[in-house]
Amino acid sequence: MNEIKAFAATSAESGMAPTTISRRVLRPDDVAVDIEYCGVCHTDIHFARNDWGMTRYPVVPGHEIVGRVTAVGTDVTGFRPGDRVGVGCLVDSCRQCAPCGEGLEQYCREGPTLTYNGEDRHDQSPTFGGYSEAIVVSDRFVLRIPEALDPAAAAPLLCAGITTYSPLRHFGVRPGHKVGVIGMGGLGHMGVKFARAMGAEVTLFTRSPGKVAEAEKQGAHKVVISTDEEQMAAVAGTFDFLLDTVPVQHDLNPYIEALSYDGTMILVGLLDSVEPPLDAGGLVFQRRALVGSLIGGLPETQEMLDFCAEHDIACDIEMLDIGEINAAYERVMQGDVKYRFVIDMQTLAAQ
Ligand SMILES: NC(=O)c1ccc[n+]([C@@H]2O[C@H](COP(=O)([O-])OP(=O)(O)OC[C@H]3O[C@@H](n4cnc5c(N)ncnc54)[C@H](OP(=O)(O)O)[C@@H]3O)[C@@H](O)[C@H]2O)c1
Ligand SMILES: [Zn+2]
Ligand SMILES: [Zn+2]
């Protein structure tokens, strides 16, 4: 076991503070990674604050991890010390079930092992995420970071990137489609970039008038202020797809009305019950679909990283000293980040 520095929350109210954790001795299929960068996902905040009632403390968040390989287990052939690699939201799964067989480890029937707040399938120890100096991960769950990508700006691709890329790909977004992205934070700004790169006509729905010019820079053709009923009414019946990244309960009905017949609304932000209630008529009368989507599997995550390298797509990031993490959480809560914080993990040494 290796003792290393990390940042953890110890209760819903504690905030993040320095701690030490241990990383396991390498198993034959393991890759050891020194962490250089870790993105700050809104999910980290949900877990740190126990918003979903399932946090096991202490929790070391972080599932947008980029670093360098320092050592590999005896069976590892695909990675070598010095390689630049990524680790996303998953570190293991059953590897036997139908979804695992299809490379959809996120939908593992036994439940995948999450990078943090999970439980190791071999020794039942808690998993700890990327707000730490190093991580040890089975090689199947390690991604290659293409040379062409800036490593800090690539980190958020491991969650914000794949979560928006996967459903747009799965549902076949292509030129001619009208796609709306709801909310422009970490996920939303990547959704705009991907939908644009896939050839769609892209509209951002935002409650923040200050983001209009920004959205156009990100690749949106149009912007709708979602709190403006007139603007919402003007786009009724027009969208093939809507990608909803809003992290809190909100009225879905006006968005369902914005879908064309046969249109699909994809939820990625909301894990709660739908409040106010959904009007099923809005779906039935126009054969519209409401679906959800969870991150993406390992093969598709690699495909997304390669797509970003090919299309020159990166996250817009603000670099962060880990000592500022609690203030950064407050700024994320206020929607005040353009558009993802990435922690420079070298700053952990000084803590
Ligand atoms: N399904 C998955 O696999 C998956 C993966 C990662 C994250 N998530 C979840 O996705 C959600 C978004 O994550 P993120 O990291 O992108 O968060 P984020 O950076 O905080 O962005 C969320 C955006 O939603 C809008 N928004 C926030 N609060 C709102 C409110 N009260 N009402 C209306 N709009 C609001 C804001 O955009 P505007 O200012 O433009 O309106 C905000 O920038 C989180 O709940 C996260 O847990 C899901
Ligand atoms: Zn995430
Ligand atoms: Zn499985």
Side-chain angles (χ1 to χ4, degrees), residues 301-351:
T301 305
Q302 189 64 60
E303 177 192 306
M304 178 273 312
L305 289 167
D306 298 341
F307 181 91
C308 288
E310 194 182 316
H311 294 262
D312 200 18
I313 292 175
C315 291
D316 292 21
I317 60 169
E318 290 189 41
M319 290 303 294
L320 190 69
D321 181 321
I322 198 158
E324 296 162 359
I325 188 73
N326 291 308
Y329 275 16
E330 289 312 317
R331 282 188 52 198
V332 173
M333 293 306 293
Q334 286 152 25
D336 175 28
V337 49
K338 289 182 175 159
Y339 280 90
R340 199 57 137 189
F341 283 118
V342 172
I343 308 167
D344 176 353
M345 293 308 304
Q346 292 202 342
T347 61
L348 183 53
Q351 292 292 322

Side-chain angles (χ1 to χ4, degrees), residues 144-217:
R144 305 198 148 277
I145 303 297
E147 286 284 323
L149 295 180
D150 173 74
L157 297 175
L158 278 319
C159 177
I162 186 60
T163 300
T164 48
Y165 179 90
S166 179
L168 296 175
R169 265 278 179 263
H170 177 76
F171 290 103
V173 168
R174 58 175 190 273
H177 280 149
K178 288 193 166 68
V179 175
V181 175
I182 307 170
M184 193 162 79
L187 268 57
H189 92 290
M190 291 310 302
V192 169
K193 288 179 202 249
F194 284 134
R196 176 73 187 241
M198 291 173 193
E201 185 187 304
V202 186
T203 299
L204 174 74
F205 289 81
T206 179
R207 62 187 172 147
S208 310
K211 291 183 183 173
V212 173
E214 286 281 332
E216 283 157 8
K217 272 192 246 156

Side-chain angles (χ1 to χ4, degrees), residues 203-209 212 223-236 254-255 258:
T203 299
L204 174 74
F205 289 81
T206 179
R207 62 187 172 147
S208 310
V212 173
V223 181
V224 171
I225 302 298
S226 53
T227 47
D228 182 329
E229 282 179 25
E230 258 176 50
Q231 289 194 32
M232 290 297 285
V235 294
Y255 294 110

Side-chain angles (χ1 to χ4, degrees), residues 39-44 62-64 88-89 116 156 158-160 163 187 295 340:
V40 177
C41 181
H42 202 115
T43 303
D44 299 350
H63 57 205
E64 297 182 335
C89 304
Y116 62 83
L158 278 319
C159 177
T163 300
L187 268 57
I295 44 175
R340 199 57 137 189

